[in-house]
PDB file of all heavy atoms in Angstrom:
ATOM      1  N   ASP A  76     112.758  70.395   0.299  1.00  0.00           N
ATOM      2  CA  ASP A  76     111.959  70.943  -0.784  1.00  0.00           C
ATOM      3  C   ASP A  76     112.579  70.473  -2.100  1.00  0.00           C
ATOM      4  O   ASP A  76     113.743  70.774  -2.398  1.00  0.00           O
ATOM      5  CB  ASP A  76     111.952  72.474  -0.712  1.00  0.00           C
ATOM      6  CG  ASP A  76     111.079  73.098  -1.781  1.00  0.00           C
ATOM      7  OD1 ASP A  76     111.480  73.083  -2.959  1.00  0.00           O
ATOM      8  OD2 ASP A  76     109.982  73.603  -1.425  1.00  0.00           O
ATOM      9  N   VAL A  77     111.828  69.703  -2.875  1.00  0.00           N
ATOM     10  CA  VAL A  77     112.359  69.065  -4.083  1.00  0.00           C
ATOM     11  C   VAL A  77     112.894  70.087  -5.082  1.00  0.00           C
ATOM     12  O   VAL A  77     114.019  69.963  -5.570  1.00  0.00           O
ATOM     13  CB  VAL A  77     111.275  68.186  -4.750  1.00  0.00           C
ATOM     14  CG1 VAL A  77     111.733  67.718  -6.139  1.00  0.00           C
ATOM     15  CG2 VAL A  77     110.953  66.996  -3.878  1.00  0.00           C
ATOM     16  N   GLU A  78     112.090  71.107  -5.391  1.00  0.00           N
ATOM     17  CA  GLU A  78     112.508  72.074  -6.408  1.00  0.00           C
ATOM     18  C   GLU A  78     113.728  72.869  -5.963  1.00  0.00           C
ATOM     19  O   GLU A  78     114.673  73.062  -6.734  1.00  0.00           O
ATOM     20  CB  GLU A  78     111.359  73.027  -6.737  1.00  0.00           C
ATOM     21  CG  GLU A  78     111.683  73.954  -7.903  1.00  0.00           C
ATOM     22  CD  GLU A  78     110.487  74.786  -8.335  1.00  0.00           C
ATOM     23  OE1 GLU A  78     109.488  74.838  -7.584  1.00  0.00           O
ATOM     24  OE2 GLU A  78     110.558  75.395  -9.421  1.00  0.00           O
ATOM     25  N   ASP A  79     113.732  73.309  -4.701  1.00  0.00           N
ATOM     26  CA  ASP A  79     114.875  74.080  -4.194  1.00  0.00           C
ATOM     27  C   ASP A  79     116.146  73.245  -4.208  1.00  0.00           C
ATOM     28  O   ASP A  79     117.222  73.723  -4.610  1.00  0.00           O
ATOM     29  CB  ASP A  79     114.597  74.569  -2.771  1.00  0.00           C
ATOM     30  CG  ASP A  79     113.583  75.701  -2.736  1.00  0.00           C
ATOM     31  OD1 ASP A  79     113.264  76.246  -3.812  1.00  0.00           O
ATOM     32  OD2 ASP A  79     113.110  76.037  -1.630  1.00  0.00           O
ATOM     33  N   LEU A  80     116.031  71.987  -3.759  1.00  0.00           N
ATOM     34  CA  LEU A  80     117.200  71.115  -3.701  1.00  0.00           C
ATOM     35  C   LEU A  80     117.693  70.777  -5.105  1.00  0.00           C
ATOM     36  O   LEU A  80     118.901  70.722  -5.354  1.00  0.00           O
ATOM     37  CB  LEU A  80     116.850  69.838  -2.934  1.00  0.00           C
ATOM     38  CG  LEU A  80     118.017  69.004  -2.401  1.00  0.00           C
ATOM     39  CD1 LEU A  80     118.886  69.830  -1.466  1.00  0.00           C
ATOM     40  CD2 LEU A  80     117.501  67.764  -1.680  1.00  0.00           C
ATOM     41  N   MET A  81     116.763  70.572  -6.032  1.00  0.00           N
ATOM     42  CA  MET A  81     117.129  70.288  -7.411  1.00  0.00           C
ATOM     43  C   MET A  81     117.917  71.451  -8.008  1.00  0.00           C
ATOM     44  O   MET A  81     118.977  71.255  -8.624  1.00  0.00           O
ATOM     45  CB  MET A  81     115.867  70.031  -8.244  1.00  0.00           C
ATOM     46  CG  MET A  81     116.135  69.760  -9.716  1.00  0.00           C
ATOM     47  SD  MET A  81     114.616  69.722 -10.703  1.00  0.00           S
ATOM     48  CE  MET A  81     114.154  71.472 -10.678  1.00  0.00           C
ATOM     49  N   HIS A  82     117.427  72.676  -7.811  1.00  0.00           N
ATOM     50  CA  HIS A  82     118.130  73.848  -8.347  1.00  0.00           C
ATOM     51  C   HIS A  82     119.484  74.035  -7.668  1.00  0.00           C
ATOM     52  O   HIS A  82     120.465  74.438  -8.309  1.00  0.00           O
ATOM     53  CB  HIS A  82     117.281  75.103  -8.176  1.00  0.00           C
ATOM     54  CG  HIS A  82     116.090  75.149  -9.084  1.00  0.00           C
ATOM     55  ND1 HIS A  82     116.167  74.830 -10.428  1.00  0.00           N
ATOM     56  CD2 HIS A  82     114.790  75.478  -8.847  1.00  0.00           C
ATOM     57  CE1 HIS A  82     114.983  74.962 -10.984  1.00  0.00           C
ATOM     58  NE2 HIS A  82     114.119  75.342 -10.044  1.00  0.00           N
ATOM     59  N   PHE A  83     119.558  73.726  -6.365  1.00  0.00           N
ATOM     60  CA  PHE A  83     120.812  73.868  -5.627  1.00  0.00           C
ATOM     61  C   PHE A  83     121.886  72.955  -6.213  1.00  0.00           C
ATOM     62  O   PHE A  83     122.996  73.391  -6.520  1.00  0.00           O
ATOM     63  CB  PHE A  83     120.582  73.553  -4.149  1.00  0.00           C
ATOM     64  CG  PHE A  83     121.830  73.632  -3.306  1.00  0.00           C
ATOM     65  CD1 PHE A  83     122.310  74.854  -2.876  1.00  0.00           C
ATOM     66  CD2 PHE A  83     122.524  72.486  -2.963  1.00  0.00           C
ATOM     67  CE1 PHE A  83     123.474  74.937  -2.113  1.00  0.00           C
ATOM     68  CE2 PHE A  83     123.679  72.557  -2.202  1.00  0.00           C
ATOM     69  CZ  PHE A  83     124.152  73.791  -1.773  1.00  0.00           C
ATOM     70  N   PHE A  84     121.547  71.675  -6.381  1.00  0.00           N
ATOM     71  CA  PHE A  84     122.527  70.739  -6.928  1.00  0.00           C
ATOM     72  C   PHE A  84     122.793  71.020  -8.400  1.00  0.00           C
ATOM     73  O   PHE A  84     123.905  70.783  -8.890  1.00  0.00           O
ATOM     74  CB  PHE A  84     122.064  69.298  -6.727  1.00  0.00           C
ATOM     75  CG  PHE A  84     122.227  68.801  -5.310  1.00  0.00           C
ATOM     76  CD1 PHE A  84     121.167  68.246  -4.633  1.00  0.00           C
ATOM     77  CD2 PHE A  84     123.434  68.916  -4.654  1.00  0.00           C
ATOM     78  CE1 PHE A  84     121.302  67.796  -3.322  1.00  0.00           C
ATOM     79  CE2 PHE A  84     123.595  68.478  -3.350  1.00  0.00           C
ATOM     80  CZ  PHE A  84     122.524  67.915  -2.674  1.00  0.00           C
ATOM     81  N   GLY A  85     121.801  71.536  -9.104  1.00  0.00           N
ATOM     82  CA  GLY A  85     122.021  71.916 -10.491  1.00  0.00           C
ATOM     83  C   GLY A  85     123.083  72.993 -10.613  1.00  0.00           C
ATOM     84  O   GLY A  85     123.939  72.945 -11.502  1.00  0.00           O
ATOM     85  N   ARG A  86     123.040  73.975  -9.701  1.00  0.00           N
ATOM     86  CA  ARG A  86     124.059  75.042  -9.710  1.00  0.00           C
ATOM     87  C   ARG A  86     125.431  74.484  -9.367  1.00  0.00           C
ATOM     88  O   ARG A  86     126.444  74.854  -9.986  1.00  0.00           O
ATOM     89  CB  ARG A  86     123.666  76.146  -8.732  1.00  0.00           C
ATOM     90  CG  ARG A  86     122.477  76.993  -9.179  1.00  0.00           C
ATOM     91  CD  ARG A  86     122.332  78.245  -8.337  1.00  0.00           C
ATOM     92  NE  ARG A  86     122.088  77.939  -6.933  1.00  0.00           N
ATOM     93  CZ  ARG A  86     120.883  77.744  -6.409  1.00  0.00           C
ATOM     94  NH1 ARG A  86     119.800  77.791  -7.184  1.00  0.00           N
ATOM     95  NH2 ARG A  86     120.735  77.491  -5.121  1.00  0.00           N
ATOM     96  N   ILE A  87     125.480  73.605  -8.367  1.00  0.00           N
ATOM     97  CA  ILE A  87     126.767  73.021  -7.969  1.00  0.00           C
ATOM     98  C   ILE A  87     127.397  72.253  -9.123  1.00  0.00           C
ATOM     99  O   ILE A  87     128.613  72.292  -9.345  1.00  0.00           O
ATOM    100  CB  ILE A  87     126.575  72.099  -6.746  1.00  0.00           C
ATOM    101  CG1 ILE A  87     126.289  72.927  -5.495  1.00  0.00           C
ATOM    102  CG2 ILE A  87     127.811  71.233  -6.517  1.00  0.00           C
ATOM    103  CD1 ILE A  87     125.979  72.098  -4.276  1.00  0.00           C
ATOM    104  N   LEU A  88     126.547  71.531  -9.876  1.00  0.00           N
ATOM    105  CA  LEU A  88     127.034  70.710 -10.987  1.00  0.00           C
ATOM    106  C   LEU A  88     127.131  71.490 -12.293  1.00  0.00           C
ATOM    107  O   LEU A  88     127.408  70.908 -13.349  1.00  0.00           O
ATOM    108  CB  LEU A  88     126.098  69.508 -11.177  1.00  0.00           C
ATOM    109  CG  LEU A  88     126.077  68.512 -10.010  1.00  0.00           C
ATOM    110  CD1 LEU A  88     124.917  67.536 -10.173  1.00  0.00           C
ATOM    111  CD2 LEU A  88     127.397  67.762  -9.912  1.00  0.00           C
ATOM    112  N   ASN A  89     126.902  72.820 -12.196  1.00  0.00           N
ATOM    113  CA  ASN A  89     126.971  73.692 -13.380  1.00  0.00           C
ATOM    114  C   ASN A  89     126.025  73.227 -14.487  1.00  0.00           C
ATOM    115  O   ASN A  89     126.328  73.347 -15.679  1.00  0.00           O
ATOM    116  CB  ASN A  89     128.402  73.756 -13.938  1.00  0.00           C
ATOM    117  CG  ASN A  89     129.337  74.543 -13.042  1.00  0.00           C
ATOM    118  OD1 ASN A  89     128.936  75.551 -12.464  1.00  0.00           O
ATOM    119  ND2 ASN A  89     130.553  74.065 -12.900  1.00  0.00           N
ATOM    120  N   ASP A  90     124.867  72.699 -14.091  1.00  0.00           N
ATOM    121  CA  ASP A  90     123.927  72.209 -15.091  1.00  0.00           C
ATOM    122  C   ASP A  90     123.194  73.338 -15.800  1.00  0.00           C
ATOM    123  O   ASP A  90     122.438  73.096 -16.742  1.00  0.00           O
ATOM    124  CB  ASP A  90     122.908  71.261 -14.435  1.00  0.00           C
ATOM    125  CG  ASP A  90     122.264  70.337 -15.450  1.00  0.00           C
ATOM    126  OD1 ASP A  90     123.016  69.679 -16.191  1.00  0.00           O
ATOM    127  OD2 ASP A  90     121.021  70.293 -15.520  1.00  0.00           O
ATOM    128  N   ASP A  91     123.391  74.570 -15.329  1.00  0.00           N
ATOM    129  CA  ASP A  91     122.772  75.709 -15.993  1.00  0.00           C
ATOM    130  C   ASP A  91     123.686  76.306 -17.062  1.00  0.00           C
ATOM    131  O   ASP A  91     123.353  77.294 -17.684  1.00  0.00           O
ATOM    132  CB  ASP A  91     122.383  76.783 -14.972  1.00  0.00           C
ATOM    133  CG  ASP A  91     123.572  77.253 -14.138  1.00  0.00           C
ATOM    134  OD1 ASP A  91     124.625  76.568 -14.133  1.00  0.00           O
ATOM    135  OD2 ASP A  91     123.455  78.299 -13.481  1.00  0.00           O
ATOM    136  N   GLN A  92     124.866  75.679 -17.257  1.00  0.00           N
ATOM    137  CA  GLN A  92     125.810  76.155 -18.260  1.00  0.00           C
ATOM    138  C   GLN A  92     126.178  75.015 -19.196  1.00  0.00           C
ATOM    139  O   GLN A  92     126.411  73.883 -18.756  1.00  0.00           O
ATOM    140  CB  GLN A  92     127.086  76.688 -17.597  1.00  0.00           C
ATOM    141  CG  GLN A  92     126.853  77.850 -16.657  1.00  0.00           C
ATOM    142  CD  GLN A  92     128.141  78.294 -15.985  1.00  0.00           C
ATOM    143  OE1 GLN A  92     129.238  77.998 -16.447  1.00  0.00           O
ATOM    144  NE2 GLN A  92     128.017  78.993 -14.875  1.00  0.00           N
ATOM    145  N   LEU A  93     126.220  75.294 -20.484  1.00  0.00           N
ATOM    146  CA  LEU A  93     126.576  74.276 -21.460  1.00  0.00           C
ATOM    147  C   LEU A  93     128.083  74.017 -21.415  1.00  0.00           C
ATOM    148  O   LEU A  93     128.883  74.947 -21.485  1.00  0.00           O
ATOM    149  CB  LEU A  93     126.173  74.721 -22.859  1.00  0.00           C
ATOM    150  CG  LEU A  93     126.517  73.748 -23.994  1.00  0.00           C
ATOM    151  CD1 LEU A  93     125.753  72.437 -23.817  1.00  0.00           C
ATOM    152  CD2 LEU A  93     126.203  74.371 -25.348  1.00  0.00           C
ATOM    153  N   THR A  94     128.458  72.761 -21.277  1.00  0.00           N
ATOM    154  CA  THR A  94     129.861  72.364 -21.287  1.00  0.00           C
ATOM    155  C   THR A  94     130.141  71.548 -22.536  1.00  0.00           C
ATOM    156  O   THR A  94     129.556  70.476 -22.727  1.00  0.00           O
ATOM    157  CB  THR A  94     130.206  71.522 -20.035  1.00  0.00           C
ATOM    158  OG1 THR A  94     129.979  72.295 -18.859  1.00  0.00           O
ATOM    159  CG2 THR A  94     131.666  71.075 -20.077  1.00  0.00           C
TER     160      THR A  94
END
Side-chain angles (χ1 to χ4, degrees):
D76 183 287
V77 170
E78 187 173 13
D79 287 349
L80 198 58
M81 178 189 71
H82 289 315
F83 178 80
F84 284 127
R86 289 193 298 272
I87 288 175
L88 295 168
N89 289 322
D90 202 52
D91 57 345
Q92 300 177 19
L93 179 64
T94 299

